[in-house]
Amino acid sequence: MAFTATCVASLFFWTVVSAITGGKEPWDLASYWTLIYPAALALSVILGAVLKSAQWSAGAVVMLAQIPVVLVISGASPLLGVGILYAAVLSIPAIALSWLAGKLRQA
């Protein structure tokens, strides 16, 4: 149930980002590095602290949830593979932070 809630919260986050900014691909927005990515990292920390096991997965889910939102909003493109790889690389810090948050909560 907690994993499902993590997926829903992540998809909701990226849907709201796209709706508010009007951007089809969040990583192309000017505010991505200053507002959006830090907010996604914060969400990863919160969800990692809430999960009782596999806390690291929260960071991966949050960052990879960009992909289905992009697919729904702008459809598949020839650069989809690059977008998936980009989201995967961006998930590395989120994974580390969500894992750490979970471990600190358990301590």
Side-chain angles (χ1 to χ4, degrees):
M1 184 66 169
F3 184 75
T4 302
T6 299
C7 292
V8 170
S10 301
L11 289 169
F12 180 76
F13 173 79
W14 291 111
T15 302
V16 168
V17 165
S18 293
I20 289 173
T21 63
K24 292 183 177 183
E25 296 176 351
W27 50 75
D28 285 341
L29 298 169
S31 60
Y32 187 79
W33 295 108
T34 57
L35 289 173
I36 299 166
Y37 187 64
L41 293 176
L43 179 60
S44 298
V45 167
I46 292 166
L47 293 173
V50 171
L51 290 177
K52 294 185 184 201
S53 64
Q55 295 91 355
W56 65 269
S57 66
V61 170
V62 169
M63 296 313 297
L64 293 175
Q66 294 177 84
I67 302 302
V69 173
V70 167
L71 283 172
V72 168
I73 292 172
S74 61
S77 75
L79 293 175
L80 179 61
V82 174
I84 293 169
L85 181 61
Y86 193 56
V89 169
L90 291 175
S91 73
I92 295 169
I95 289 169
L97 289 171
S98 62
W99 175 82
L100 181 62
K103 294 302 173 193
L104 289 174
R105 185 191 62 82
Q106 289 177 345

